[in-house]
Amino acid sequence: MTYTGSRTDAESSLASALSRQIGYTSAAYSLPRILSVLDFFRDKPSGYKQEVLAFLKALQVDTDGSDGYLEEVINFAVAMKLVEVVSSSQATLQRLAPTETGRSVSGALATGDDGFARYFIARTVLIADADYIFPVLKHCAANQNGEDIKAYFLSFQHNLRLRRSEWLRGAFPERVLFTRIADMLGWLRRGKGPLADYEVEKLTLNTARHHTTPRLGWLIYLGLIDGERRITSLGRDLVTALETEHGYFWLGPPSGVQEALKIPPDICVHGPFEDTFTLSAFESRSPTDAEVARLIDRLAHVMLEGYPAAKLVHAPQASLVLSIEFIRYSGYIERKDYHWESVLDQFFITKKAEFERFSAKRGQIGFYRPKGSAEKT
């Protein structure tokens, strides 16, 4: 796949793929609490942070409701790209708005299909936090014979960072290009002096505890492990999808980024990649026309039920991200190789009397609206 972004965008995407981790936590955060940030925007296109804080504070019953704690809940929602800062850096008050992904997650939750919603949320969380989620899940999958999860997490992170640092030096032997990426990675520290080398940052056991504890709760909520920390079938499929024969290296940047940065073919690392990552490739087969037709009927139901929560407030339309993720989920559940582009093309031909399609301002992913809903919004 050809990458069309600028070099700066490509470098940023590569750095993000080499640092998919959300920062230090107090071990008190739960995914439902982070997702509750989206509820503030149900009928609002945006809002000031103080308004969101007041909304979250009203929801707190038996948990910490301090402004400092709730600000971190918002920060997690931003890190997961459920919401984004839309005010300028110079603004006195910070203004937030849900992303297309955030609106689509709200739509998925509104469909009542818990399996689909949690699959979509899991994919969203992994894009932000795969480096820290994976070793916790892997520890549960491997049943480490009583090895402490904190020690396992520390060893995993240190080895992963060493491997990535070595790869990065091979991918960018010119110091100036290496530095442009390295300076964006929080786990690499430059020594003192203009010619000082970079060193991998080492985590502590206390830091590992703060990272592993909440993520065990996330994995339970997402159905990747059970209450006894036993991995589920979905969890095992996820481990398989993220690992190669050489183990976990990354959930890679969008396809084509490495080539755009002129990384030699023999140095480029294979996926999974952010834009194509799915579980549906396992033992999948091409669907029949009848199976695609049934998927289209189910998709129409999801798009109709999810639309009120997924639609933009400033315009009566919702992102096709919701539709694409349901197609991916269906492919995984049915072990069918559904291609979302062709399914959507057929959907809007078959359902042209019921749904309208709108083009995207950029990229492939556009918007939709159930016909007759414009007057109701």
Side-chain angles (χ1 to χ4, degrees):
M1 184 177 295
T2 302
Y3 181 77
T4 58
S6 67
R7 181 174 183 91
T8 299
D9 290 340
E11 289 175 343
S12 178
S13 293
L14 181 64
S16 294
L18 291 168
S19 190
R20 292 195 192 278
Q21 57 204 45
I22 301 177
Y24 199 83
T25 84
S26 67
Y29 304 115
S30 70
L31 274 178
R33 195 170 301 133
I34 295 166
L35 294 167
S36 71
V37 174
L38 291 170
D39 293 336
F40 172 85
F41 301 100
R42 185 59 61 90
D43 57 354
K44 303 177 185 69
S46 62
Y48 290 110
K49 177 182 277 190
Q50 293 306 314
E51 295 175 319
V52 181
L53 283 172
F55 173 82
L56 293 176
K57 186 172 290 189
L59 296 179
Q60 306 305 305
V61 178
D62 57 354
T63 56
D64 186 354
S66 67
D67 284 359
Y69 170 81
L70 296 177
E71 279 199 47
E72 289 303 312
V73 172
I74 294 173
N75 289 341
F76 268 63
V78 172
M80 291 179 184
K81 297 183 179 178
L82 298 170
V83 299
E84 61 185 343
V85 178
V86 294
S87 54
S88 69
S89 57
Q90 293 79 30
T92 304
L93 296 177
Q94 194 175 71
R95 196 168 187 86
L96 304 166
T99 61
E100 279 189 38
T101 297
R103 289 280 186 206
S104 300
V105 166
S106 293
L109 289 166
T111 66
D113 188 333
D114 288 343
F116 165 48
R118 296 194 182 194
Y119 176 95
F120 184 10
I121 294 166
R123 191 177 188 280
T124 301
V125 171
L126 283 167
I127 295 298
D129 196 55
D131 292 351
Y132 280 3
I133 282 282
F134 181 83
V136 178
L137 183 60
K138 179 69 174 179
H139 184 272
C140 296
N143 190 16
Q144 296 293 321
N145 297 320
E147 180 184 1
D148 180 69
I149 190 171
K150 299 185 296 297
Y152 178 84
F153 184 87
L154 285 183
S155 176
F156 181 96
Q157 293 301 330
H158 185 65
N159 291 332
L160 179 63
R161 292 174 177 189
L162 287 176
R163 289 169 58 210
R164 286 179 171 176
S165 176
E166 182 180 357
W167 174 81
L168 198 58
R169 295 176 194 280
F172 299 100
E174 304 89 345
R175 183 175 175 83
V176 65
L177 296 179
F178 171 84
T179 299
R180 285 168 64 96
I181 305 295
D183 284 345
M184 290 188 276
L185 302 177
W187 50 267
L188 275 180
R189 294 283 186 265
R190 189 195 294 205
K192 296 181 180 180
L195 298 178
D197 202 359
Y198 288 78
E199 295 181 354
V200 169
E201 180 188 39
K202 294 183 179 180
L203 301 177
T204 66
L205 275 175
N206 188 52
T207 300
R209 175 176 63 84
H210 280 284
H211 284 309
T212 55
T213 303
R215 285 167 176 81
L216 286 167
W218 296 3
L219 294 175
I220 292 172
Y221 172 80
L222 294 171
L224 302 175
I225 63 173
D226 63 20
E228 302 298 321
R229 297 189 184 181
R230 294 183 298 248
I231 194 165
T232 64
S233 59
L234 175 59
R236 289 195 182 280
D237 284 346
L238 189 55
V239 169
T240 301
L242 288 170
E243 273 191 317
T244 68
E245 58 183 314
H246 303 296
Y248 175 84
F249 185 78
W250 65 3
L251 174 51
S255 308
V257 161
Q258 295 177 88
E259 292 77 6
L261 292 173
K262 308 299 183 185
I263 298 174
D266 60 324
I267 301 295
C268 287
V269 181
H270 295 299
F273 297 119
E274 176 180 327
D275 56 329
T276 58
F277 175 65
T278 176
L279 302 183
S280 61
F282 298 109
E283 302 174 2
S284 61
R285 62 175 178 79
S286 296
T288 64
D289 291 343
E291 288 167 338
V292 172
R294 287 194 290 271
L295 171 60
I296 285 174
D297 286 339
R298 296 196 306 276
L299 179 59
H301 175 77
V302 165
M303 290 168 65
L304 189 63
E305 293 298 311
Y307 177 76
K311 73 178 180 67
L312 307 177
V313 173
H314 63 274
Q317 57 193 40
S319 173
L320 285 170
V321 166
L322 174 66
S323 314
I324 292 167
E325 293 305 329
F326 182 75
I327 294 169
R328 284 173 167 157
Y329 168 71
S330 299
Y332 167 67
I333 293 297
E334 300 175 31
R335 295 298 198 248
K336 303 289 180 5
D337 190 15
Y338 293 120
H339 296 282
W340 66 261
E341 297 95 334
S342 59
V343 171
L344 282 182
D345 286 344
Q346 188 168 338
F347 175 90
F348 283 103
I349 293 173
T350 304
K351 302 292 183 180
K352 63 182 179 180
E354 302 169 51
F355 291 87
E356 296 177 270
R357 186 176 193 171
F358 302 93
S359 299
K361 291 183 178 179
R362 65 177 185 176
Q364 291 181 281
I365 300 173
F367 298 86
Y368 78 92
R369 179 176 67 204
K371 289 187 175 180
S373 63
E375 297 79 9
K376 302 175 185 178
T377 56

